[in-house]
Amino acid sequence: MKIVDKLLHLILGVIVLIVALILLCAANPDVRQVAAGIAQSIGPIYVPPAEEEAEVQQASAGESGEEAPQETTYTVSMDPSKFIYADELVKTVVEATDFAPQEESYSDYSDKRDLTDVMNDGSLQDYNPGNDEYLQLVEQGDEGLLTLDEYLNQAVKKSDAKLAEPEVTEITDPQEAQNIADTVPLGETGEDAEFDKLFYPYYHMLGEKEQKLYKQIYANANALTPEFRPVEDCTPKEWIAAWDCVFYDHPELFWMDNTKYYESDYSGKVIKVGLKFYAEIPDVAKAKLRFNDDANKILSGAQSLETDYDKEKYIHDALVDKITYMFNTLDQSAFSSIPNDYTVCCGYAKAFQYLMQQLGVPTYFVIGWGGELHAWNIIKLDDEYYNVDCTWDDTDPKTYDFFNVTDRKNLMHSRMYQSRYLPACNGTKYSGLENTAPNLKKLGAATDKIYTDKVEYANDLIDLLTKAIASKKQSADIKLVISRELFIEWYRAFFGTQYQDGANNMLSYTGEDNSSLVMMFERLDSGDYLITHHVDLIAE
């Protein structure tokens, strides 16, 4: 009986310690390093490959290190009736799974947009992201902890939004600068344009000066004016903020490249700006006809549906079914996904935004971090807001893991720049309707709950372990199902920083008498996780 008591004490001690560490780490990030040391002293948390496998891995790496990944190119023949390029009906695209190593980190991107003094504080949404656990991991350099299985490993490879820095020319000669100011026209000012706050939120985030620049950019993009003088004296920061907001608000400007140009004088004032239009779309009028025709074909299947939710699901499924995730020269434009079928996350998001807006449903483009710079959407259904990521739902078969989810459940997404000020997504009415709840009885779960609270999970596990030990069986399997958001905490507490991409999804604790507790996780189709707690007891 002493041996059983030792095992019980070991198990209870581990559970209580981990729960305490979760709470303590949340209150004091400095405890993370101490927690890692304690975890190492408890036992082998990370289960390494077998010796043979480890030797094979070491040999395959070689003395010269790993070779750089090779890009794989594919030639895609386009039907001329479905492709409007002038002379080129064959395009080369690169499969997304054969991507080059990431060159820029979250911190590199986070410094690229200074929004100080360019935002209209009075009109900003009261967005409170709360405890953004993913952002905390990113800032600590631990975001790799969340690539738990092949599903998420593939998901983070589908993050390829581009935040192009402007091309800049500095005019240091005062006379030359004055000549430019005197001769470059304003182009279109767009002063009469109006933008509904419900459908164009980024415009209303800007200050009064930046709103005038926004209108001018929008009007000249429609007029195909390549160069003009800013309608207001402005700094580069003010010009870029206005341009970004036009890009985020208007997917219908599919011919406008996401690169931009400006010239500034010796004082830093912008005196000339330039918009760039895709060379691959030489005839914008013809492209608009093709774009509208294909968009209307998709919309025709949704317009007769009764609810906004039904329309949303139809558009989500239509895009996921038609699009192949591949790089190409138009992949930051809605034209890559309407009418073309090859794009990256930005193309998915802009297509979804455009189509839902055409159906009268407020839908926004979101820029943020998802392993790399990433794009997805926010949609308003009734009086609630939800996150939607068609890109990460484009699996085989398609999933709904990122369809109408709250900010807390939007795993591995963290908003950046102006997108931080879009409404908080806390909607529940239309969340999870497409994901079938797991059959707990069929899974052999020990309780009829899907745990969302770590304390309740720990307490129930302790009770079940106590009963297993009291039964005097040699071994027992206790299965519990926890939610995806609780799994983040569970995983971080038990695996810590020792878990490596591709490692075994199992950890074990062994007592002095060789009694053991082994825990294994398995991702379910619902997005929840089945945790199996296997206990081996040593008879006296």
Side-chain angles (χ1 to χ4, degrees), residues 149-181:
D149 53 30
E150 187 61 22
Y151 172 79
L152 288 178
N153 282 330
Q154 290 302 316
V156 298
K157 292 178 181 178
K158 292 184 175 181
S159 297
D160 291 290
K162 299 292 189 298
L163 190 67
E165 290 303 291
E167 298 176 11
V168 181
T169 299
E170 295 183 5
I171 308 299
T172 57
D173 183 347
Q175 185 59 49
E176 182 181 358
Q178 187 61 50
N179 290 339
I180 292 173

Side-chain angles (χ1 to χ4, degrees), residues 466-485:
T466 303
K467 290 177 182 178
I469 293 172
S471 70
K472 298 184 178 180
K473 294 180 179 178
Q474 290 188 342
S475 65
D477 283 330
I478 299 171
K479 297 183 178 182
L480 298 176
V481 176
I482 64 177
S483 66
R484 182 168 62 180
E485 55 268 31

Side-chain angles (χ1 to χ4, degrees), residues 21-290:
L21 283 175
I22 291 172
L23 297 174
L24 191 55
C25 287
N28 185 356
D30 292 337
V31 178
R32 288 171 56 85
Q33 295 180 352
V34 178
I38 293 174
Q40 290 177 0
S41 67
I42 290 174
I45 292 180
Y46 166 58
V47 180
E51 290 185 9
E52 257 184 82
E53 184 181 346
E55 289 174 2
V56 171
Q57 291 177 356
Q58 186 175 5
S60 63
E63 296 180 0
S64 60
E66 294 183 358
E67 295 182 0
Q70 299 295 315
E71 289 188 341
T72 303
T73 59
Y74 299 82
T75 299
V76 181
S77 297
M78 301 293 185
D79 180 347
S81 67
K82 295 183 178 181
F83 206 64
I84 59 88
Y85 288 10
D87 302 314
E88 191 175 10
L89 299 180
V90 178
K91 299 298 293 180
T92 300
V93 293
V94 180
E95 190 175 39
T97 52
D98 295 318
F99 66 104
Q102 182 176 322
E103 296 181 357
E104 295 188 272
S105 66
Y106 170 82
S107 60
D108 294 327
Y109 279 111
S110 65
D111 295 334
K112 287 187 176 181
R113 292 294 187 269
D114 178 8
L115 301 179
T116 308
D117 302 326
V118 298
M119 305 292 281
N120 181 359
D121 293 335
S123 65
L124 293 181
Q125 296 284 349
D126 184 21
Y127 171 61
N128 178 15
N131 184 21
D132 189 337
E133 296 184 23
Y134 178 52
L135 181 56
Q136 291 174 17
L137 288 177
V138 170
E139 291 176 335
Q140 294 162 3
D142 291 338
E143 61 182 305
L145 293 175
L146 293 184
T147 54
L148 306 173
D149 53 30
E150 187 61 22
Y151 172 79
L152 288 178
N153 282 330
Q154 290 302 316
V156 298
K157 292 178 181 178
K158 292 184 175 181
S159 297
D160 291 290
K162 299 292 189 298
L163 190 67
E165 290 303 291
E167 298 176 11
V168 181
T169 299
E170 295 183 5
I171 308 299
T172 57
D173 183 347
Q175 185 59 49
E176 182 181 358
Q178 187 61 50
N179 290 339
I180 292 173
D182 291 341
T183 57
V184 175
L186 287 174
E188 303 293 329
T189 63
E191 58 186 353
D192 295 328
E194 296 182 0
F195 301 99
D196 187 337
K197 186 175 183 179
L198 188 60
F199 288 87
Y200 304 101
Y202 289 104
Y203 169 79
H204 292 274
M205 293 180 188
L206 294 169
E208 184 177 353
K209 178 194 292 187
E210 291 77 24
Q211 286 183 345
K212 291 181 180 179
L213 295 171
Y214 175 111
K215 289 183 176 182
Q216 186 187 26
I217 294 166
Y218 175 78
N220 282 293
N222 277 291
L224 300 178
T225 307
E227 295 181 342
F228 49 94
R229 185 177 79 254
V231 70
E232 290 276 329
D233 288 346
C234 65
T235 64
K237 181 173 65 174
E238 292 165 339
W239 156 252
I240 292 172
W243 188 98
D244 284 346
C245 286
V246 173
F247 182 75
Y248 300 154
D249 266 342
H250 295 283
E252 74 277 11
L253 299 177
F254 59 81
W255 56 89
M256 187 173 78
D257 199 336
N258 72 333
T259 58
K260 47 213 173 271
Y261 169 83
Y262 70 82
E263 295 180 7
S264 60
D265 66 11
Y266 49 90
S267 67
K269 183 177 74 174
V270 176
I271 56 176
K272 178 181 176 182
V273 296
L275 302 180
K276 297 203 170 186
F277 308 117
Y278 285 109
E280 294 88 348
I281 305 179
D283 188 336
V284 173
K286 184 177 179 181
K288 285 182 181 179
L289 293 175
R290 182 60 186 157

